Amino acid sequence: SSMNADLESFVPLTFARRGVQRLATTRAVAHDTTFLVGLSRAFYWKSLLDTGVMKSGSEIAKNEGLHHSVVNEIMRLTLLAPDIITLLMSGTQPRRLNLMWFQRNRLPVDLHAQRAIIDGFK
C-alpha cells in the first residue's frame, strides 16, 4: 500500500510537467534558466547587503569565488523594472535578451528608458 501512495504522489507531477512542456511548445515560451539563476542570485546578494550579512559586493565575490565585477554586473539586475522582470520570468522575452547581454550592457536606472531599450529588441 505504501507503493500505491508513491505512485499517487508521482503521477500528478508527471502530468504537470507534460502540461508545462505542451504550453512551452504552443506559445513559444522559452525560459532562460541561466538568466533566472542570475536574477535570483542578484536579489539574494542584495538581501545579504541590505541585512548587513555581507558588507560589499567584493565580500560577496570573495565568498562566492567570483570576480567582483561579475557580482556587480549581476546585481544590476535588481534595478530592472518590475514588468521587465515579469517578461523575463514568463519566458516571453526577446531571445537575444539574456544574462550575457545584461552583463555587457548597462541599462539606465530610469524605468522608461529601460522599456525603450527592451522594446527595441522586438
Side-chain angles (χ1 to χ4, degrees):
S1 93
S2 69
M3 190 170 175
N4 286 343
D6 290 343
L7 284 175
E8 287 174 40
S9 63
F10 176 75
V11 171
L13 291 174
T14 302
F15 290 140
R17 191 173 65 228
R18 285 184 185 155
V20 169
Q21 288 170 343
R22 198 163 38 248
L23 178 70
T25 54
T26 57
R27 296 197 184 176
V29 171
H31 290 97
D32 183 342
T33 52
T34 305
F35 174 82
L36 295 176
V37 168
L39 183 67
S40 63
R41 288 176 100 184
F43 279 99
Y44 172 66
W45 292 339
K46 184 178 184 316
S47 74
L48 293 179
L49 294 176
D50 290 348
T51 57
V53 173
M54 294 280 173
K55 302 296 179 216
S56 66
S58 296
E59 188 178 349
I60 292 170
K62 186 176 179 184
N63 194 52
E64 297 273 349
L66 297 169
H67 193 272
H68 67 88
S69 66
V70 172
V71 172
N72 292 337
E73 289 164 358
I74 291 176
M75 283 194 58
R76 285 199 307 256
L77 296 174
T78 62
L79 302 174
L80 282 172
D83 54 308
I84 295 173
I85 290 175
T86 300
L87 181 78
L88 288 149
M89 290 185 72
S90 69
T92 55
Q93 76 284 354
R95 298 298 164 254
R96 291 180 300 144
L97 197 60
N98 55 28
L99 185 61
M100 187 66 72
W101 187 91
F102 282 107
Q103 286 181 265
R104 291 184 176 166
N105 298 276
R106 286 181 177 264
L107 273 183
V109 177
D110 179 73
L111 303 185
H112 298 293
Q114 286 182 16
R115 291 180 187 110
I117 291 169
I118 302 308
D119 287 344
F121 277 95
K122 296 176 183 173

